Amino acid sequence: QVQLVESGGGSVQGGGSLNLSCAAFGEDLSLYGMAWFRQSPGKEREGVASIDDVDNTRYADSVKGRFTISKDNAKNTLYLQMNSLKAEDTAMYYCAATPSLFWYGSLQPQGYHNWGQGTQVTVSS
């Protein structure tokens, strides 16, 4: 079973950028559909971006044009480049993996079985 470890979170001013990383251990990332989710206190976990096994990507409307998901299979690492950050992007960010072809590309959290511990992103206005 794949283990996921996120890094790269932090505090940034509005308009700034952060690049999140998610290192995978124990399994080959190329065998999984991957996604980034976020959750703020009192809110449900929401899908931010997903990437399937052939690098098709999908984004939440709220981040389109600002965030880019990518992966490096050689490094077994998933990334989320976040630009033009807004205060409403403040949340705990999680990477997730699914081995199920049915859920590849999904932004629904119920399709993902493997989760990292999260990394906090705080954007000040």
Side-chain angles (χ1 to χ4, degrees), residues 28-39:
D28 188 344
L29 249 191
S30 66
L31 301 176
Y32 289 80
M34 303 294 299
W36 287 97
F37 292 83
R38 67 186 181 187
Q39 189 168 19

Side-chain angles (χ1 to χ4, degrees), residues 10-125:
S11 296
V12 64
Q13 286 192 330
S17 299
L18 284 173
N19 189 23
L20 305 184
S21 298
C22 173
F25 302 93
E27 295 281 349
D28 188 344
L29 249 191
S30 66
L31 301 176
Y32 289 80
M34 303 294 299
W36 287 97
F37 292 83
R38 67 186 181 187
Q39 189 168 19
S40 303
K43 294 187 177 180
E44 293 186 353
R45 189 167 296 190
E46 64 169 339
V48 174
S50 65
I51 186 167
D52 67 12
D53 58 328
V54 291
D55 291 349
N56 293 312
T57 58
R58 185 178 180 183
Y59 297 92
D61 288 343
S62 58
V63 306
K64 280 180 183 176
R66 300 189 298 121
F67 291 11
T68 302
I69 188 172
S70 63
K71 61 180 178 175
D72 186 332
N73 289 333
K75 294 183 178 180
N76 229 29
T77 301
L78 178 74
Y79 302 98
L80 185 68
Q81 177 65 43
M82 306 187 294
N83 298 327
S84 302
L85 282 162
K86 305 175 181 180
E88 51 263 44
D89 295 319
T90 295
M92 185 72 79
Y93 283 71
Y94 301 88
C95 69
T98 179
S100 173
L101 188 64
F102 178 81
W103 290 101
Y104 280 12
S106 174
L107 292 177
Q108 300 299 315
Q110 62 265 31
Y112 292 83
H113 301 287
N114 303 94
W115 294 84
Q117 82 288 350
T119 186
Q120 177 68 37
V121 171
T122 303
V123 184
S124 57
S125 56

